[in-house]
Amino acid sequence: MPTALITGPTSGIGAAFARRLAASGHDLVLVSRQVGRLEQTADVLRDAHDIGVDVLPADLATHDGMKLVEARLRDDDYPIDLLVNNAGFTLKKPFLVNDIEDEEAMLNILVLAVLRLTHAALPGMIERGAGAVVNVSSIAGWLPRGTYSAAKAWVMSFSEGMATATAGTGVRVMALAPGFVRTEFHQRAQIDMSTISDRMWLDADELVTVALNDLRRGKVVSVPSARYKAARFLLTKAPRRLVKATGKRHPAGRRFQQRS
């Protein structure tokens, strides 16, 4: 039975990955700093799908937390077949008025944890000739807006580089770049998204279905829904001055800067 390790699995996209993979017969290792919600999520999935679910409490904003998860990913006796780097949070205020410690914590989770966990997972996968890593990025990665967007751009570039590095090994690496998803993400950051049209919101479970289908097809970047595929095209092809102007006008662009 394959095993997937998911970071940030207690809500939103991470929870949708956990539900979908559990339903398809994966055993799970769930990583979060929120121990109570972690245990509750694990109990629900065990009861619903009769699978093995291990919980690994760890704060990925800290090096100690990262090292705990890295050790699990390197355990050849209980190999991980799929790593989903999903954990993340955002900050409501602009970069220059945020505490630098908060900015650093966000960067640790969005970038450093993705780097270190992928580095821990890939060698074993390559040796076994099978496995996959999904790194959750964002359409925001194509918008020049603060630390969050910069981090998601890094995740995109890093994932594309690792997909090239692992080509021909039987291992796949994919970046998932959604737009707005109906989760706790913005509410927990206290960001008002009431001006965003209903048409722009994605369902987390539908998003994960698309992502896993794209992974099976060998896509390197998965952008769920036609509307966000069009947004990607425009953001990557339009003159940069127009992209910058779009970000300034958009509420998510101004403050697109919760923790899982």
Side-chain angles (χ1 to χ4, degrees), residues 194-215:
S194 61
T195 61
I196 304 301
S197 168
D198 285 344
R199 296 177 302 167
M200 300 305 294
W201 291 98
L202 303 176
D203 176 80
D205 290 297
E206 293 175 3
L207 181 154
V208 167
T209 297
V210 172
L212 292 174
N213 286 338
D214 284 348
L215 182 66

Side-chain angles (χ1 to χ4, degrees), residues 5-10 29-34 38 54-60 65 69 87 117 260:
L5 186 148
I6 306 169
T7 68
T10 60
V29 179
L30 305 180
V31 178
S32 174
R33 70 188 181 96
Q34 299 175 325
L38 196 60
D54 294 333
V55 298
L56 183 52
D59 185 351
L60 292 175
V69 185
L117 270 55
S260 298

Side-chain angles (χ1 to χ4, degrees), residues 99-167:
D99 292 337
I100 192 61
E101 290 79 10
D102 292 337
E103 288 282 342
E104 186 175 15
M106 181 167 65
L107 203 61
N108 281 349
I109 291 178
L110 297 182
V111 172
L112 189 58
V114 172
L115 181 150
R116 293 184 60 142
L117 270 55
T118 302
H119 188 269
L122 285 180
M125 291 180 179
I126 292 170
E127 185 175 346
R128 294 187 294 273
V133 176
V134 175
N135 294 323
V136 178
S137 181
S138 171
I139 200 78
W142 289 296
L143 280 168
R145 286 290 169 270
T147 305
Y148 183 88
S149 291
K152 292 305 185 181
W154 182 91
V155 170
M156 202 96 61
S157 180
F158 174 70
S159 300
E160 290 179 296
M162 290 303 98
T164 299
T166 57

